């Protein structure tokens, strides 16, 4: 009888530990999401299928038809957040109906989109010709910036740990020093 309760508690803990994507990025269960590299290699085969892609914003452009966000694609973790690294599979363009403020969706922010894969667009990155996979966006999520905490080691004594208790001068404590005994090496005993 007690074993049933332990198993139920263990199952509840296991299920609660699963990470879930934000509601804005959720898709129907058992939906096969198109991978970015698959859409890049076979654009005709993946057009119209559902995808979840994310990365770092490279550029935001608004026009009379909506907003185009150019994103440097990165792999997503289990809850849909992009994992920036030193390498990327490439870039894609997210096509959004309506206005997106470039000051909110600014360059360098992490973002994830869900939607359907559209026809690729030929354009340039600087002077380099590039084929951009596109995503007709149905859901978007702008991730909060992660604050990097730095840890500092305080080597001061415990008594003077806080500045308001410490004296304005550094206290040096005498340390015993070991010296070698001098011997007479003149040959006489």
């Amino acid at each position: 009888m007690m074993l049933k309760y332990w198993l139920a508690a263990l199952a509840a803990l296991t299920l609660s530990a699963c990470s879930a994507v934000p509601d804005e990025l959720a898709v129907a269960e058992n939906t096969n999401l198109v991978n970015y590299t698959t859409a890049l290699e076979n654009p005709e085969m993946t057009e119209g299928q559902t995808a979840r892609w994310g990365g770092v914003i490279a550029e935001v452009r608004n026009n009379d038809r909506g907003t185009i966000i150019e994103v440097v694609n990165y792999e997503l973790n289990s809850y849909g957040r992009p994992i920036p690294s030193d390498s990327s599979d490439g870039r894609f363009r997210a096509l959004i109906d309506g206005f997106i403020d470039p000051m909110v969706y600014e360059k360098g922010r992490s973002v994830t989109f869900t939607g359907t894969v559209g026809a690729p667009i030929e354009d340039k990155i600087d002077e380099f010709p590039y084929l951009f996979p596109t995503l007709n966006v149905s859901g978007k999520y702008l991730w909060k910036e992660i604050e990097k905490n730095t840890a500092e080691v305080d080597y001061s004594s415990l008594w003077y740990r806080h500045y308001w208790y410490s004296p304005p001068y550094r206290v040096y404590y005498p340390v015993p020093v070991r010296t070698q005994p001098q011997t007479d090496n003149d040959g006489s005993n």
Side-chain angles (χ1 to χ4, degrees):
M1 188 71 164
M2 191 69 167
L3 182 62
K4 288 181 187 179
Y5 291 118
W6 280 105
L7 288 175
L10 182 63
L13 284 174
T14 303
L15 291 176
S16 67
C18 294
S19 62
V21 297
D23 292 338
E24 295 88 343
L25 302 175
V27 294
E29 262 188 70
N30 300 326
T31 302
N32 289 329
L33 296 173
V34 176
N35 193 349
Y36 171 79
T37 54
T38 306
L40 186 63
E41 294 167 358
N42 300 318
E44 301 84 23
M45 305 271 301
T46 58
E47 197 169 331
Q49 295 182 15
T50 306
R52 182 185 299 131
W53 299 339
V56 175
I57 298 173
E59 184 179 10
V60 177
R61 285 181 279 167
N62 288 294
N63 57 34
D64 57 348
R65 291 172 299 193
T67 303
I68 300 170
I69 300 179
E70 190 173 308
V71 180
V72 178
N73 183 64
Y74 290 113
E75 186 178 330
L76 303 178
N77 63 14
S78 63
Y79 53 92
R81 186 181 185 113
I83 307 168
S85 65
D86 291 336
S87 64
S88 168
D89 294 332
R91 294 185 182 196
F92 68 91
R93 288 194 175 161
L95 310 174
I96 303 171
D97 292 332
F99 175 77
I100 298 293
D101 194 342
M103 292 300 289
V104 176
Y105 282 74
E106 62 185 341
K107 184 177 181 177
R109 294 283 304 268
S110 293
V111 66
T112 304
F113 298 105
T114 55
T116 57
V117 178
I121 298 174
E122 288 187 39
D123 204 351
K124 291 184 176 184
I125 299 176
D126 294 330
E127 296 301 316
F128 186 80
Y130 194 81
L131 182 67
F132 290 93
T134 61
L135 190 65
N136 299 313
V137 174
S138 60
K140 61 187 181 303
Y141 193 83
L142 184 66
W143 297 94
K144 294 184 193 279
E145 294 182 29
I146 299 174
E147 292 182 23
K148 295 184 179 176
N149 294 330
T150 57
E152 294 181 13
V153 178
D154 187 1
Y155 291 106
S156 62
S157 65
L158 290 176
W159 182 260
Y160 298 114
R161 178 82 52 183
H162 305 286
Y163 293 114
W164 53 86
Y165 291 126
S166 64
Y169 52 87
R170 181 139 178 112
V171 178
Y172 292 97
Y173 297 102
V175 178
V177 177
R178 180 179 289 179
T179 59
Q180 296 291 332
Q182 288 189 350
T183 57
D184 258 344
N185 289 340
D186 62 349
S188 60
N189 288 347

